[in-house]
Amino acid sequence: MARQYRTYGYISNSIALSTAFQTFYVLDALYIERAVLTTMDVIMDGFGYMLSFGHLVWVPFIYSLQTRYLAVFPLELRLKDILLTLTITGVGYSIFRGANNQKNRFRTDPNDPRVKNIKYIQTSSGSKLMISGWWGLARHINYFGDWLMSWSYSLPTGLAGYTIVESINSTGDVQKQAIQTPEVRGWGIVFTYFFLLYFGVLLIHREGRDEKKCKRKYGADWKRYTSIVRSRIFPGIY
């Protein structure tokens, strides 16, 4: 945002929106930290190469591709574009936060009025597997919400693509400006929407690892559970 302001003298609503969504995601995780501590990432994943590489390399350089693009090409979104982005983000957040909060309450306080009517399977290991509520829709429904939220980072870039044109101002200095023409429109999508595609692959890969761990932990109970909750991430689709 500072780069865009220094170059053009203003902040576009697209870069402000994308930055706001990522900022909200971070602040939300800090505010609901207690619920984060009951997720599979914390309970079962060790801090090895995958997480250290992800946090030190992948996150700072891949998660910022959208705003790096917008810093050069300050796209102004129409009202309907903003409303579409907010709607998709709102649906994703409702699923993501609703599912994670429901799981956390069920684990920490099963008598909470918001979860006391949740149906579940009692496993031989002593754990309870929810088969209603959010977790009755899919075994990793929170991943679906998380993926929908990732759209909000990329959608503000629109049909990405620009070209740099040079001009000479009244003082004789050469000025460079990023403009979008029909010929270059769309080429940048491979970069600005890469995070969305990568994140989908990451979540499917993570879901596969979770399935193996749960099958090993719960044995026959997991087979009974998956016969009831058939969907993995996308209800009725996958």
Side-chain angles (χ1 to χ4, degrees):
M1 290 178 70
R3 161 69 185 271
Q4 188 188 84
Y5 184 79
R6 186 171 66 246
T7 305
Y8 298 99
Y10 69 96
I11 300 295
S12 66
N13 58 12
S14 56
I15 197 171
L17 198 61
S18 185
T19 302
F21 285 136
Q22 294 206 24
T23 302
F24 175 79
Y25 191 88
V26 173
L27 295 178
D28 177 70
L30 294 174
Y31 180 71
I32 314 289
E33 185 177 26
R34 192 182 309 178
V36 175
L37 296 177
T38 62
T39 60
M40 296 286 286
D41 310 52
V42 176
I43 294 175
M44 304 189 75
D45 280 351
F47 189 74
Y49 175 79
M50 181 180 291
L51 283 181
S52 60
F53 179 85
H55 290 319
L56 297 175
V57 179
W58 209 245
V59 170
F61 294 104
I62 299 300
Y63 284 42
S64 62
L65 282 177
Q66 301 88 344
T67 47
R68 287 174 65 88
Y69 166 82
L70 292 171
V72 177
F73 184 73
L75 176 66
E76 284 296 325
L77 300 174
R78 297 168 296 179
L79 178 60
K80 68 176 184 179
D81 298 326
I82 296 175
L83 292 177
L84 173 64
T85 305
L86 289 173
T87 299
I88 294 176
T89 304
V91 172
Y93 181 75
S94 297
I95 298 173
F96 174 73
R97 181 52 57 213
N100 281 337
N101 281 348
Q102 189 177 76
K103 177 175 63 176
N104 181 61
R105 293 187 185 109
F106 185 76
R107 284 177 171 173
T108 58
D109 185 12
N111 294 318
D112 188 310
R114 290 166 289 187
V115 295
K116 69 177 183 179
N117 294 321
I118 291 288
K119 297 178 182 179
Y120 61 87
I121 290 177
Q122 181 70 57
T123 68
S124 57
S125 66
S127 300
K128 299 175 181 178
L129 300 175
M130 293 183 285
I131 57 173
S132 67
W134 284 113
W135 300 93
L137 298 175
R139 302 197 290 271
H140 304 280
I141 188 67
N142 57 327
Y143 290 172
F144 179 46
D146 207 1
W147 184 69
L148 281 180
M149 290 177 66
S150 73
W151 281 66
S152 65
Y153 309 154
S154 299
L155 285 176
T157 64
L159 295 178
Y162 64 83
T163 186
I164 299 294
V165 297
E166 295 183 351
S167 60
I168 300 177
N169 59 21
S170 58
T171 62
D173 296 324
V174 176
Q175 289 184 322
K176 294 183 179 181
Q177 185 178 10
I179 65 169
Q180 188 175 80
T181 63
E183 292 77 20
V184 299
R185 193 180 190 198
W187 70 262
I189 288 178
V190 67
F191 301 105
T192 60
Y193 286 80
F194 173 76
F195 170 75
L196 189 154
L197 297 175
Y198 138 76
F199 197 50
V201 173
L202 180 145
L203 291 176
I204 291 174
H205 177 262
R206 178 181 291 178
E207 177 271 331
R209 292 189 292 119
D210 292 347
E211 287 281 318
K212 290 180 181 179
K213 292 175 182 177
C214 290
K215 190 180 296 183
R216 189 165 55 245
K217 178 180 180 180
Y218 299 116
D221 291 320
W222 186 251
K223 186 175 181 180
R224 183 160 61 103
Y225 168 67
T226 56
S227 69
I228 299 173
V229 183
R230 296 179 177 275
S231 297
R232 293 170 176 255
I233 298 177
F234 307 99
I237 299 176
Y238 173 74

